[in-house]
Amino acid sequence: MWHDVALRDAARAIYESVYLGDDWTTVPFDEAERFGTIHYRNAVDAAQRAQACLNGDATLQFVLI
């Protein structure tokens, strides 16, 4: 996701907001991204859905579900 800086930043914000500490995951965002953890993939999915909502792309919102 290095090619889309805004989407990566959104995924990081979601990741760090949802997975607050050791109770959820002990892996920082950069490592989660490198290893493609489920927590990272969930954050990316949430960022893509949020982007679709903010852009008003109703078709994409349903495709991502």
Side-chain angles (χ1 to χ4, degrees), residues 21-44:
D22 294 343
D23 293 339
W24 283 99
T25 181
T26 58
V27 180
F29 180 80
D30 293 328
E31 285 185 45
E33 182 178 38
R34 185 166 24 124
F35 294 114
T37 67
I38 186 66
H39 298 95
Y40 169 77
R41 293 192 311 266
N42 287 342
V44 169

